[in-house]
Amino acid sequence: MEEYAGTDDRGDGFTSTVVDPNVWRRRAVKPSGKEYYALLLVFVGDILIISHEALKLFDALKQVYTLKPESVGPPLMYLGADVSKMQTVSGGVCWGMLSITYVKLAVGIVRDLLRHDEEGEDLKATAKQPLPTSYKPETNVSQELNGMGSPGIYS
Amino acid sequence: MMAPYSASPRVGHIEALYNIFSYLMIHDKSALAFDATKPNIDESAFQEVDWKDFYGEVEEELPPKMPEPLGRPVTISCFVNANHAGNVVTRLLHSGVLIFLMNTPIIWFSKQQNTVESSSFGSEFVAARIARDLIVSLRIKLRMFGCPIDGTANVFCDNQGVVKNVSLPESTLSKKQNAINYYVVREAAEAEILRFGKEDGETNLADLLTKILPVPWRKLLLGSILYRRMKKFLGVCCVECQGFHSPKADMYLSGRLE
């Protein structure tokens, strides 16, 4: 990232924050004249830009890095979570985070494990709550899982 | 809730996990909104007090090299709760903290602590001290990002004893074993890092993080935090508030956290 945001003229003045080196910051002015910090968040191959001129900043990034053309635009996913615009209770529109993709993947893994188990069971689509109200895991005295099922299945 | 049993799980524990995944399989539409509107805080929940006569001039320590704050100031709100002696075998307490930045829940803390407290007051004070630590850490982080903070953090707790001890300078502590938590949280109050207000037990959102709640109660509280994906709007995916708000929850939404 230093290549893009470093101290040279092309760097657009982004500096890495002390509290999180993956968050880069620079002063910016909105068309209304209000000052704020434009943020650039980097995580491995994902870059999220929070600015009123994000696409312009991505154009500057393209001069240093090779970006997939279809990957530049409003975010659909970030760090494994679905990202989307939402309407709030007060009627405004804001960004939001959903876990549909993540949960589907996680549930799929558990169902695969269950199918390969000796009893070949599946998850029941009837659960009204995550755990029964009276459930007390500390009072459970059933058999320990060590040695049961496929090796490493419960790790 | 299940994390303490990950070291040597039993058959019953993994069956409970299967139940959690069964629930997730048919309840995967919830969403978190990054709602930047300012929460409508009920000021009557807090008491205006002067700490100077007791502790002198105490100020919040600002991080060195912090940038000039720019942009809209953000409000921090926090719900804190403890399940006193909730573990029926070891009687360990379970603490829960939920922190909002404006109207967005951003920090969720749920942990079975390694200590046993002799009273619910002591358990709540342990959770209050954890909330204080998380809030101080968040305030430093925001300041280092250049984000201005709008006044003190509003902490809601359902234990009247804790609220009084932290809100009233003249209140004293009769239980020596809670002294450290007592002074740490009071120091944060006098430095105007946070202020404590009473929240009803039925509407304390941190209850979600400390115990298994009955379905209607859980839905009531979740309805104040999560949204449910419903339809397309303006060409983008849109979510609306879940339709299960009871009159009390609606009242709540129009009060503390609109």
Side-chain angles (χ1 to χ4, degrees):
Chain A
M1 224 37 232
E2 285 83 355
E3 291 171 38
Y4 165 69
T7 52
D8 61 345
D9 295 338
R10 194 185 50 206
D12 295 330
F14 274 99
T15 51
S16 176
T17 58
V18 177
V19 68
D20 187 342
N22 294 316
V23 177
W24 298 68
R25 180 193 68 226
R26 78 158 189 181
R27 289 176 90 104
V29 182
K30 285 182 185 174
S32 62
K34 286 186 179 173
E35 272 197 298
Y36 71 104
Y37 286 112
L39 296 173
L40 192 150
L41 287 69
V42 186
F43 185 78
V44 191
D46 287 348
I47 295 171
L48 188 67
I49 293 178
I50 301 161
S51 164
H52 72 280
E53 46 183 13
L55 288 177
K56 191 178 156 192
L57 293 171
F58 266 114
D59 286 340
L61 260 180
K62 278 180 196 167
Q63 294 175 16
V64 183
Y65 298 103
T66 307
L67 304 179
K68 290 180 191 168
E70 68 276 11
S71 70
V72 178
L76 299 171
M77 285 199 84
Y78 190 69
L79 304 183
D82 304 293
V83 178
S84 171
K85 281 198 172 172
M86 300 169 47
Q87 189 177 27
T88 61
V89 186
S90 53
V93 176
C94 67
W95 285 99
M97 197 173 263
L98 300 95
S99 56
I100 298 172
T101 307
Y102 183 87
V103 168
K104 272 203 173 108
L105 276 169
V107 168
I109 291 168
V110 173
R111 293 181 82 176
D112 280 348
L113 282 171
L114 276 170
R115 281 195 205 104
H116 291 96
D117 208 5
E118 289 169 6
E119 295 172 12
E121 288 183 4
D122 196 1
L123 295 177
K124 293 166 189 158
T126 53
K128 288 185 179 172
Q129 54 181 340
L131 292 168
T133 313
S134 58
Y135 182 64
K136 293 281 178 194
E138 63 272 22
T139 58
N140 194 301
V141 289
S142 56
Q143 190 185 352
E144 283 194 14
L145 286 170
N146 295 342
M148 295 178 66
S150 308
I153 193 172
Y154 298 117
S155 60
Chain B
M1 210 60 77
M2 302 302 295
Y5 310 98
S6 56
S8 56
R10 296 177 181 275
V11 173
H13 295 144
I14 200 152
E15 283 171 354
L17 290 183
Y18 289 153
N19 197 72
I20 292 173
F21 278 98
S22 297
Y23 175 83
L24 287 175
M25 188 167 65
I26 51 177
H27 295 87
D28 62 351
K29 304 286 192 291
S30 294
L32 280 177
F34 291 99
D35 187 353
T37 53
K38 190 175 168 66
N40 185 15
I41 302 293
D42 179 7
E43 290 294 328
S44 67
F46 304 97
Q47 298 195 33
E48 285 279 336
V49 289
D50 186 5
W51 294 88
K52 284 178 188 166
D53 292 343
F54 290 82
Y55 299 101
E57 298 283 346
V58 180
E59 287 184 356
E60 182 180 9
E61 193 179 358
L62 299 178
K65 295 182 185 175
M66 62 178 263
E68 180 194 348
L70 288 181
R72 221 156 41 105
V74 292
T75 305
I76 301 173
S77 307
C78 171
F79 290 83
V80 58
N81 190 39
N83 185 6
H84 172 58
N87 187 313
V88 297
V89 175
T90 60
R91 292 300 173 190
L92 296 172
L93 72 105
H94 199 113
S95 54
V97 181
L98 179 59
I99 298 179
F100 285 76
L101 206 54
M102 301 302 258
N103 270 329
T104 307
I106 56 158
I107 296 178
W108 314 64
F109 181 93
S110 172
K111 186 180 183 297
Q112 181 173 275
Q113 298 297 324
N114 296 322
T115 53
V116 181
E117 293 295 327
S118 57
S119 63
S120 60
F121 171 82
S123 297
E124 295 277 353
F125 241 125
V126 170
R129 198 261 307 151
I130 293 166
R132 175 262 174 209
D133 293 348
L134 292 170
I135 288 168
V136 168
S137 154
L138 177 64
R139 289 171 77 90
I140 290 172
K141 188 175 273 189
L142 288 171
R143 286 200 165 106
M144 290 306 288
F145 281 142
C147 182
I149 298 172
D150 186 13
T152 56
N154 308 297
V155 184
F156 297 100
C157 173
D158 58 19
N159 188 289
Q160 189 68 46
V162 171
V163 173
K164 277 189 175 173
N165 263 170
V166 181
S167 305
L168 302 175
E170 66 273 19
S171 66
T172 54
L173 182 75
S174 57
K175 293 174 178 172
K176 198 175 173 183
Q177 69 271 25
N178 299 127
I180 293 173
N181 293 328
Y182 171 83
Y183 283 113
V184 166
V185 180
R186 275 171 70 98
E187 185 194 38
E190 67 196 74
E192 296 185 347
I193 294 170
L194 50 78
R195 57 179 182 169
F196 268 68
K198 175 79 168 59
E199 177 66 47
D200 289 343
E202 294 161 356
T203 50
N204 187 354
L205 301 180
D207 269 13
L208 287 162
L209 306 169
T210 57
K211 52 183 87 79
I212 303 169
L213 300 176
V215 177
W217 189 2
R218 191 171 54 80
K219 281 189 172 179
L220 180 85
L221 297 183
L222 274 178
S224 300
I225 303 173
L226 297 176
Y227 287 73
R228 190 159 62 94
R229 186 174 178 270
M230 289 181 75
K231 62 180 182 183
K232 294 273 182 183
F233 172 75
L234 294 175
V236 295
C237 163
C238 170
V239 291
E240 288 182 341
C241 203
Q242 301 194 21
F244 49 56
H245 280 139
S246 73
K248 190 170 175 64
D250 283 338
M251 194 170 66
Y252 175 76
L253 277 169
S254 62
R256 298 277 161 76
L257 289 168
E258 194 168 57

